[in-house]
Amino acid sequence: MKATWRKNIVWLLLLAAALAALMLYNAPERTVMRWYDRHFVSMTDNTAPTHTAIVNVWTGDNGHEIREYLVTTRGFGSSCRYYGVFYSPDNLPASFQNGGETLTAVSDTEWTWQGQRGDHGLVRQLEPNWFYFEAKF
């Protein structure tokens, strides 16, 4: 009887470890970075795109333009979260969809922003002109 109990505990621990590894692998930031690494060349040379992200071009009130690649979302309705990368020709960070919210520096390469309705997000520079973003509503 004790051997069966121990076997069950071992199987439960293995299952928990597998689920934790799967959740870590599918974390939104990791998903975006795998996508970015896989499609970077097609986004930077003028070949036919190989990516499947939603692409938007947003121009802010100040004329600053970004090309956004929306890679993945989580949640529904008012609890939606957006993750992706954007290209900024003038190497300036921007809030989600270039909405004009004020960016607060966390470090030399990372900023946060806060909207008026409780929405907020994060922007992190990956390399010159390329930024990772998260937006939460």
Side-chain angles (χ1 to χ4, degrees):
M1 188 79 139
K2 287 185 179 182
T4 303
W5 176 249
R6 287 183 186 146
K7 268 188 191 177
N8 289 341
I9 289 177
V10 169
W11 280 111
L12 284 173
L13 289 174
L14 288 173
L15 179 62
L19 288 173
L22 183 62
M23 288 174 62
L24 183 62
Y25 180 79
N26 285 324
E29 184 174 359
R30 289 178 182 258
T31 299
V32 170
M33 295 313 300
R34 282 192 308 273
W35 181 92
Y36 176 75
D37 291 340
R38 188 173 33 244
H39 300 291
F40 182 76
V41 171
S42 74
M43 293 186 300
T44 55
D45 65 11
N46 292 318
T47 62
T50 61
H51 57 78
T52 57
I54 296 171
V55 181
N56 296 299
V57 176
W58 302 99
T59 304
D61 293 340
N62 59 0
H64 169 67
E65 184 177 283
I66 64 170
R67 185 173 60 227
E68 173 192 85
Y69 298 84
L70 183 58
V71 177
T72 188
T73 62
R74 298 285 195 267
F76 299 99
S78 63
S79 65
C80 199
R81 297 174 182 210
Y82 300 90
Y83 303 89
V85 295
F86 67 86
Y87 174 76
S88 173
D90 49 9
N91 199 35
L92 293 175
S95 62
F96 184 59
Q97 297 179 341
N98 211 355
E101 289 83 4
T102 301
L103 296 175
T104 303
V106 175
S107 71
D108 290 343
T109 59
E110 190 170 308
W111 302 264
T112 59
W113 58 268
Q114 184 78 36
Q116 293 179 352
R117 297 177 307 270
D119 44 334
H120 60 281
L122 168 84
V123 177
R124 183 178 309 122
Q125 187 162 26
L126 302 173
E127 55 190 276
N129 303 96
W130 288 95
F131 297 82
Y132 165 81
F133 72 85
E134 298 177 5
K136 301 173 184 176
F137 296 90

